[in-house]
Amino acid sequence: MATRHESIQYKGKVIEFPYDNQAEELIPDEELHEHLAKPTTDRTKRLKDRCRWKHATAGEFVEESVRAGIERMRLLTEGHKNSEGKPEVLRRAMILANILNKGTVVLQEDEIIVGYHAESPNWVPLYPELSYMAVQDYIQSRYAPQPVEEAKEINEYWKKHSLQAKCETYFEPIDLLRMYQVSTMEAPPFATGYNSMIPPYETVLEDGLLKRIELAEQHIKKAKEELSAPYWNAPERLDLVPKIDNWNAMIIADKAVIAWARRHARLCKIVAENFETDPKRKEELLMLSDICQRVPAEPAVGLRDAMQSKWFTYLICHAIDRYASGYAHKADKLLWPYYQTSIIEKSFQPMTHEDAVELFECERLKISEHGAGKSRGYREIFPGSNDLFIFTLGGINRDGSDGCNDCTDAILEAARNIRTTEPSIVFRWNPKGRLKTKRLVFECIRDGLGYPSIKHDTLNTAQMLYYSQFSKNNNGATIEEARDWANVLCMSPGLVGRRKSQKTRNEGGGAIFPAKILEITLNNGFDWSYSDMQLGLETGDPRKFKTFEDLWEAFRKQYQYCMSLSIRAKDIARYWEIRTLQMPFTSSIDDGCMELGMDCMELSEQPNGWQNPITSVVAANSLVAIKKLIYDEKKYTMEQLVEALHANWEGFEQMHQDFKDAPKWGNDDEYADPIIKRFYEDILSGEMVKITNYSGGPVMPVGQAVGLYMEIGSRTGPTPDGRFGGEAADDGGISPYMGTDKKGPTAVLRSVSKVDSGTQKANLLNQRLSVPIMRSVHGFKIWLAYMNTWCDLNIDHVQFNVVSTEEMKAAQREPEKHQDLIVRVSGFSARFVDISTFGQNCIIARNEQDFGPADLEYLGVEF
Amino acid sequence: MQAKAKSRSLDIRIQPGISQSCQKCKWGIEDPTDPARGQCIGSRTKIGSIWKRMIHDYYNSTCEKFEEGEVSFRDHV
Amino acid sequence: MATCAQCRSFFLIPEDADDFEQGKGDCVRQEQDEKGKYWLSKPIMSHTLTDTCPHYKGKN
């Protein structure tokens, strides 16, 4: 039997909490999530049962069949060698064409969205042009591309030509070592190949690539006329030469993409006519053949066109031309016109709402088996998941009207029904959002998916406008464009649409780790606990610090050193991306690049700089404990603290208890909260915004965690908040440390709301809510009141785990019986049984928030 | 500073050409960024978390706790 | 010596295709593993010798 929440005495009434769905009361707590999946059709059930998952954990792929393919790296290298001597941007286009013309095209049974990016649906491609170290790791592993000797030879070739090789020369070896060890800062993208971007899907779906080719041809024609007009003027005209190269590269790339899509059309037809025996599937394959023949060459007309065209664009931008994590787009806005055509008007590719839900379930499964050839580091830090695939829904439209529509609902229904860890969803919470859609958001969360995570719509739109003022060409976001945003990855918003979207992680992304920075600040910049080396600046012996401010300022210097180095590394990588990693296909689908004849690596109209502080709350709680016990109460000396930390608190038990008992974040505490607010605003943000990145704008903090809160915890010694060496850090952004938020959910909201959201680009708030409350007849009402309060308090973000400890412990005992148990780790959701025991225990240790009468009253709940 | 004397990495020693290298040890894993380096995951705290140490030369380092084998992903961070 | 043109997996690319070249075809193979069936297509020239191809199957 399921546990029913105890009744509550509230405003003179006794409130009972029967389950919303009475039948669920018969399901034991330990197995609830195994009863929630309801694939919409037999097809999506079959596709889920046979899904070629690419989940990774502890740096390894979970499924045995995953290997690295050699095809992409081989064709890339061949293309690079064959195009020697050409302008670099044309080389990049020719390389893409070489991969697309000669690479393997894949079709799988049952699927209605087609296309893959390696020579086997079980494999992942590699990117030696980005990082030779990441490829070297694959070569040494059981996933090594075959023949391995050829792979080694290819990687050797790229050791000279890769982005990593080009960037490394600008840094001292000690700085590279400090960055590469990922304990005070994340390794720069040039060392890992990790990237993120937002492709302008809108132009592909609305215009089609033939139209984009025509536009480029017109620009070339006009430019050549201008070049040859009388009275040559070099300052005015010489810039047209690289523009012509860019437009020509766009044409080569677009033609190659069209031909590649049409190879899929041919494959579908060949299979229909020569292999398939089921007449219904034959018909379906011929339909898919027709779609791939038309899109992305032509504009999408119906929903099936739009989904296929989007998928092809995604594969090129995120997996074939270059690797980029993420699945950033505003899906309901992008697809709504095609939903209307096919489902409401039924004028092309007519279908029912349920057919649309099936299509969205298929998309989720397609993403679930997408293989990212990412480095070991990124296979470690998203444990239990595939990659960071996140798209956005809801909010408001460009004209300010409610952005929720029936397509939003179909996408949410698909997520709720099929139950996959990917892709995750962000929901933009706006008071204008319709209740029907918010109810579906609730149902996904209540069912334990961990998504949608929720972002404050108005705050983030305002942020887009804030960044626009720094635009280098005075063409940042207008108010209409500012309303058109999606999360780039887990947390940070960026513009979507026909132009001005972010194209590289060197603009925004990458992490900095305040807990480790505090640890080395307490050791004059030396890392005694992990790497045994001078990891930061020599900021002085903390035992000689006279005041708390001395420590504060020493921390500031260490933090600024890491920040400046991190952003310098990204901007130097940007410098080389502009010169050797152009993306002519992506440029061709960006209206700005097309108009100006510029490559998308170079053109940045809307700044969007950020870096992610991860482990901030451990550092902040530690500073609170130090201030209270050493500088205010003088109960201990800094010398004693340093000694206790070096002993991992052994022999210092009382002292450990005192530091552990010091006030902690998330309890609406009068002592802790002002210090922590200052930490977020004066240091985390205050120091970041002093930096200006390539795009001319400030860099702002995006507090989050991914799986790095565990990884960095394991590389961080004991900390003054009472943590032991190696223990996990806080699980995200502005979330209280696990188990230390003891005053209920509304105290957490009050603490978090004290930090001015306008000083931060984003801040992740993880909350774990009671299953019996959320599944009760009052679940939606209480959650809605919570969300409205959260919105009124101007908090940037919140996401929820709704899963019982009983069920997680049952899954630890018998993992094979709990394949559908999903948990929210950080900005992504994961299959619980694919996480290490330590990671699982960290989720279990999060405080489950219940709602008492005081919370309900604060939220204004009426029964 | 006192900190330098209390480094946790002192027991890992560089020994060029050692057959029982960290790379072959159950508790050694590749550094996630630079595969020429490694991490030791053999140190576990009382509550089960792993307190890692960096191995600067993964192929030519060893220590007294060398053990052959592989660790299940369940026992990782 | 057999060539790809004589193989069951060889499908000549039609003249109106974007990637048409004289004698160029698609080598289309059906594969199956524990997860199900899938098809792979790679471009190949009709005159390619098949002596090192483990997948060659003559047309009936």
Side-chain angles (χ1 to χ4, degrees):
Chain A
M1 287 287 285
T3 303
R4 188 193 278 203
H5 196 277
E6 284 177 4
S7 58
I8 293 177
Q9 290 275 354
Y10 182 67
K11 291 189 175 177
K13 286 191 227 169
V14 177
I15 312 298
E16 302 287 346
F17 290 89
Y19 272 53
D20 192 23
N21 174 1
Q22 287 182 7
E24 282 179 8
E25 301 218 18
L26 300 172
I27 300 173
D29 292 339
E30 294 80 7
E31 58 182 66
L32 174 67
H33 284 214
E34 298 310 302
H35 296 266
L36 298 177
K38 293 180 179 61
T40 299
T41 61
D42 288 344
R43 180 206 307 273
T44 53
K45 184 178 183 315
R46 286 194 302 272
L47 284 172
K48 187 178 177 189
D49 287 344
R50 76 111 187 95
C51 185
R52 298 170 192 273
W53 309 101
K54 302 291 190 309
H55 287 181
T57 196
E60 309 297 345
F61 290 104
V62 175
E63 299 252 335
E64 286 294 321
S65 55
V66 179
R67 291 287 178 274
I70 199 163
E71 189 172 88
R72 184 191 177 278
M73 61 196 284
R74 178 188 286 155
L75 294 172
L76 162 92
T77 310
E78 182 185 89
H80 194 256
K81 288 177 178 173
N82 289 345
S83 60
E84 203 176 341
K86 302 267 185 202
E88 284 296 322
V89 69
L90 288 172
R91 289 183 88 180
R92 288 284 299 165
M94 291 161 82
I95 290 168
L96 176 65
N98 201 51
I99 296 170
L100 295 177
N101 292 340
K102 295 181 182 171
T104 304
V105 164
V106 180
L107 170 70
Q108 297 191 70
E109 64 183 338
D110 257 338
E111 61 183 12
I112 46 176
I113 301 169
V114 303
Y116 195 68
H117 56 296
E119 59 268 48
S120 159
N122 295 318
W123 295 3
V124 301
L126 297 182
Y127 307 86
E129 77 276 29
L130 302 177
S131 158
Y132 62 81
M133 276 185 183
V135 174
Q136 181 59 34
D137 179 76
Y138 273 96
I139 288 172
Q140 289 174 206
S141 75
R142 63 182 157 102
Y143 320 111
Q146 299 298 327
V148 73
E149 287 309 317
E150 184 187 348
K152 283 181 185 170
E153 200 178 305
I154 289 172
N155 202 36
E156 204 54 41
Y157 173 81
W158 286 99
K159 275 185 186 172
K160 292 190 292 282
H161 300 289
S162 64
L163 180 66
Q164 181 175 10
K166 291 200 160 48
C167 295
E168 281 179 333
T169 58
Y170 302 94
F171 296 89
E172 296 301 320
I174 184 69
D175 286 331
L176 290 176
L177 181 55
R178 285 168 179 170
M179 288 193 284
Y180 288 3
Q181 71 168 271
V182 189
S183 61
T184 51
M185 35 192 159
E186 186 174 331
F190 67 69
T192 61
Y194 193 68
N195 191 28
S196 48
M197 68 176 300
I198 304 182
Y201 293 105
E202 285 78 355
T203 51
V204 184
L205 270 57
E206 290 166 14
D207 297 1
L209 296 184
L210 289 170
K211 172 79 184 299
R212 307 303 292 179
I213 291 170
E214 199 184 309
L215 282 173
E217 286 170 344
Q218 285 168 6
H219 282 297
I220 292 171
K221 186 167 177 280
K222 202 172 155 219
K224 286 188 173 171
E225 283 167 4
E226 220 176 304
L227 278 177
S228 57
Y231 307 112
W232 170 252
N233 182 329
E236 281 180 11
R237 296 183 195 170
L238 211 49
D239 281 352
L240 289 169
V241 173
K243 286 174 192 281
I244 289 171
D245 285 344
N246 278 322
W247 285 314
N248 270 323
M250 293 181 200
I251 293 169
I252 294 169
D254 283 6
K255 283 184 175 172
V257 171
I258 292 170
W260 171 75
R262 287 176 174 168
R263 287 181 58 207
H264 289 81
R266 226 157 52 216
L267 176 59
C268 290
K269 191 161 181 282
I270 290 169
V271 172
E273 292 171 350
N274 298 277
F275 295 89
E276 188 55 60
T277 52
D278 176 2
K280 206 174 155 202
R281 179 62 179 163
K282 265 189 191 185
E283 202 180 309
E284 211 167 63
L285 284 167
L286 292 173
M287 174 193 74
L288 290 171
S289 176
D290 169 65
I291 292 170
C292 297
Q293 185 67 23
R294 285 186 295 102
V295 301
E298 297 170 25
V301 184
L303 188 62
R304 290 187 194 283
D305 287 353
M307 294 296 281
Q308 184 62 56
S309 195
K310 180 173 80 157
W311 184 251
F312 279 145
T313 307
Y314 168 76
L315 284 181
I316 300 292
C317 296
H318 282 261
I320 296 177
D321 198 10
R322 185 177 171 180
Y323 163 63
S325 186
Y327 194 40
H329 60 293
K330 177 75 168 49
D332 48 356
K333 181 217 70 173
L334 179 72
L335 299 169
W336 176 230
Y338 312 101
Y339 181 97
Q340 286 174 290
T341 301
S342 293
I343 287 90
I344 298 173
E345 296 156 14
K346 298 192 191 299
S347 55
F348 193 79
Q349 293 170 343
M351 63 173 85
T352 62
H353 180 81
E354 191 180 71
D355 293 332
V357 174
E358 183 195 44
L359 200 49
F360 293 130
E361 287 179 20
C362 287
E363 179 191 30
R364 298 191 66 79
L365 292 161
K366 200 77 184 148
I367 282 287
S368 294
E369 61 183 12
H370 180 79
K374 58 187 180 177
S375 71
R376 178 172 292 276
Y378 294 87
R379 301 199 302 274
E380 279 183 353
I381 64 168
F382 315 137
S385 79
N386 177 341
D387 204 356
L388 295 183
F389 303 107
I390 298 145
F391 65 80
T392 300
L393 301 174
I396 53 173
N397 295 314
R398 289 164 74 102
D399 64 2
S401 60
D402 180 14
C404 300
N405 53 49
D406 289 353
C407 187
T408 323
D409 294 356
I411 292 168
L412 288 166
E413 286 168 45
R416 181 196 60 194
N417 295 354
I418 197 72
R419 289 184 74 81
T420 56
T421 48
E422 293 95 7
S424 186
I425 300 174
V426 174
F427 184 75
R428 289 169 42 181
W429 189 274
N430 191 293
K432 284 184 184 170
R434 65 188 194 180
L435 206 58
K436 183 185 170 197
T437 301
K438 287 177 177 169
R439 170 79 203 189
L440 282 166
V441 169
F442 165 76
E443 287 177 11
C444 289
I445 291 169
R446 179 195 65 186
D447 282 3
L449 297 175
Y451 55 79
S453 69
I454 300 181
K455 290 279 283 183
H456 197 293
D457 197 39
T458 317
L459 273 180
N460 284 281
T461 298
Q463 183 192 110
M464 294 295 98
L465 282 176
Y466 169 74
Y467 272 96
S468 73
Q469 67 182 300
F470 303 102
S471 172
K472 285 197 292 193
N473 66 352
N474 293 318
N475 195 27
T478 63
I479 177 63
E480 290 78 15
E481 288 168 336
R483 288 175 180 143
D484 204 6
W485 61 268
N487 271 15
V488 183
L489 278 175
C490 302
M491 286 296 298
S492 176
L495 295 182
V496 298
R498 296 179 61 99
R499 74 191 286 172
K500 307 181 191 178
S501 67
Q502 181 174 327
K503 308 297 191 311
T504 170
R505 184 173 174 81
N506 288 313
E507 176 66 32
I512 181 163
F513 308 115
K516 186 75 187 179
I517 293 175
L518 179 64
E519 186 194 2
I520 64 165
T521 305
L522 292 173
N523 291 279
N524 197 13
F526 187 78
D527 178 19
W528 71 277
S529 73
Y530 171 63
S531 64
D532 192 21
M533 60 176 274
Q534 186 69 27
L535 192 54
L537 306 175
E538 292 192 12
T539 45
D541 182 343
R543 291 167 297 192
K544 294 179 183 159
F545 291 164
K546 296 268 188 295
T547 64
F548 180 68
E549 290 307 308
D550 291 343
L551 174 64
W552 190 268
E553 293 308 314
F555 180 90
R556 185 196 299 279
K557 283 181 194 156
Q558 297 284 5
Y559 178 82
Q560 183 54 247
Y561 163 74
C562 294
M563 272 310 304
S564 285
L565 181 56
S566 298
I567 305 301
R568 171 160 60 106
K570 289 198 295 186
D571 281 333
I572 286 173
R574 183 73 166 265
Y575 176 90
W576 281 107
E577 280 179 322
I578 291 165
R579 284 154 184 82
T580 62
L581 276 175
Q582 298 93 335
M583 295 184 71
F585 172 72
T586 307
S587 306
S588 81
I589 61 174
D590 180 287
D591 277 349
C593 296
M594 180 61 78
E595 181 192 318
L596 301 169
M598 287 173 76
D599 186 78
C600 65
M601 290 297 107
E602 182 171 13
L603 180 63
S604 178
E605 301 189 284
Q606 167 81 2
N608 204 35
W610 87 80
Q611 196 78 358
N612 311 317
I614 294 177
T615 70
S616 306
V617 167
V618 164
N621 280 341
S622 294
L623 287 166
V624 169
I626 290 172
K627 184 171 190 307
K628 183 175 168 58
L629 295 168
I630 295 179
Y631 293 103
D632 289 359
E633 296 176 3
K634 302 190 191 314
K635 189 167 182 184
Y636 298 100
T637 64
M638 184 63 91
E639 182 148 11
Q640 285 172 305
L641 176 63
V642 170
E643 197 181 349
L645 293 175
H646 281 249
N648 200 19
W649 300 108
E650 268 185 57
F652 297 84
E653 281 68 25
Q654 183 55 49
M655 188 175 171
H656 176 240
Q657 195 58 48
D658 287 342
F659 275 81
K660 208 173 165 186
D661 290 345
K664 298 284 185 279
W665 178 242
N667 295 295
D668 194 19
D669 185 274
E670 282 179 13
Y671 185 88
D673 290 3
I675 300 168
I676 294 175
K677 172 183 167 64
R678 186 180 163 216
F679 182 67
Y680 275 86
E681 295 175 0
D682 176 37
I683 294 203
L684 296 186
S685 173
E687 286 302 303
M688 258 194 216
V689 298
K690 291 174 184 168
I691 291 171
T692 304
N693 81 348
Y694 168 83
S695 296
V699 178
M700 290 182 76
V702 172
Q704 56 161 313
V706 286
L708 277 163
Y709 75 100
M710 292 181 282
E711 269 299 328
I712 299 306
S714 76
R715 296 168 211 188
T716 304
T719 38
D721 57 342
R723 234 185 97 262
F724 288 108
E727 281 185 9
D730 50 283
D731 55 48
I734 202 155
S735 311
Y737 190 76
M738 55 186 175
T740 63
D741 45 341
K742 294 179 174 166
K743 296 204 173 156
T746 55
V748 173
L749 291 182
R750 284 192 290 273
S751 274
V752 171
S753 69
K754 290 173 191 169
V755 173
D756 178 359
S757 293
T759 63
Q760 318 281 310
K761 194 166 197 298
N763 243 332
L764 186 147
L765 176 59
N766 259 328
Q767 288 289 272
R768 188 178 160 203
L769 301 182
S770 142
V771 175
I773 286 265
M774 289 287 274
R775 302 198 78 80
S776 77
V777 291
H778 305 302
F780 181 55
K781 182 191 287 183
I782 293 172
W783 177 80
L784 189 64
Y786 176 97
M787 287 311 308
N788 287 332
T789 303
W790 166 91
C791 186
D792 292 344
L793 288 170
N794 273 329
I795 297 172
D796 169 64
H797 168 272
V798 67
Q799 62 185 21
F800 305 96
N801 261 312
V802 183
V803 51
S804 70
T805 298
E806 291 72 21
E807 189 159 12
M808 289 191 276
K809 288 192 169 169
Q812 285 184 315
R813 288 191 298 272
E814 295 180 289
E816 64 288 351
K817 289 187 182 167
H818 295 269
Q819 296 294 307
D820 248 0
L821 179 57
I822 294 173
V823 289
R824 192 70 174 176
V825 178
S826 182
F828 66 97
S829 293
R831 187 192 279 168
F832 184 76
V833 298
D834 288 346
I835 305 176
S836 68
T837 306
F838 173 63
Q840 291 174 338
N841 288 341
C842 288
I843 309 274
I844 293 170
R846 292 180 188 174
N847 209 20
E848 183 178 291
Q849 300 284 11
D850 204 348
F851 290 88
D855 294 309
L856 296 173
E857 196 159 350
Y858 181 77
L859 299 175
V861 179
E862 294 296 336
F863 292 99
Chain B
M1 269 195 74
Q2 187 186 18
K4 288 189 185 179
K6 288 208 175 183
S7 162
R8 292 176 66 237
S9 301
L10 289 179
D11 56 332
I12 297 177
R13 62 179 187 277
I14 291 182
Q15 202 171 319
I18 178 84
S19 59
Q20 295 189 326
S21 66
C22 294
Q23 186 245 341
K24 290 179 187 153
C25 174
K26 178 178 179 178
W27 306 111
I29 59 170
E30 288 81 3
D31 179 276
T33 307
D34 181 354
R37 298 178 193 277
Q39 295 178 331
C40 174
I41 60 166
S43 170
R44 213 162 259 273
T45 64
K46 282 177 194 163
I47 65 152
S49 52
I50 293 160
W51 190 1
K52 288 183 172 179
R53 282 175 301 171
M54 188 174 172
I55 305 164
H56 288 268
D57 187 344
Y58 191 41
Y59 295 89
N60 295 297
S61 297
T62 192
C63 81
E64 299 311 316
K65 293 175 191 161
F66 178 87
E67 249 184 279
E68 268 189 61
E70 274 195 30
V71 176
S72 149
F73 81 88
R74 292 257 175 251
D75 294 323
H76 274 264
V77 169
Chain C
M1 183 74 66
T3 62
C4 285
Q6 295 160 277
C7 178
R8 264 194 247 173
S9 301
F10 184 79
F11 298 88
L12 205 57
I13 294 174
E15 284 186 25
D16 60 353
D18 308 87
D19 54 342
F20 171 77
E21 279 176 51
Q22 200 68 45
K24 189 176 171 186
D26 293 318
C27 168
V28 177
R29 288 192 291 113
Q30 179 173 302
E31 299 277 337
Q32 179 145 23
D33 62 14
E34 71 283 0
K35 299 275 191 185
K37 274 191 235 170
Y38 57 92
W39 293 267
L40 305 175
S41 169
K42 272 196 83 160
I44 191 87
M45 297 308 289
S46 60
H47 55 72
T48 309
L49 296 177
T50 60
D51 52 340
T52 57
C53 178
H55 306 292
Y56 176 77
K57 276 186 190 164
K59 284 178 181 165
N60 293 328

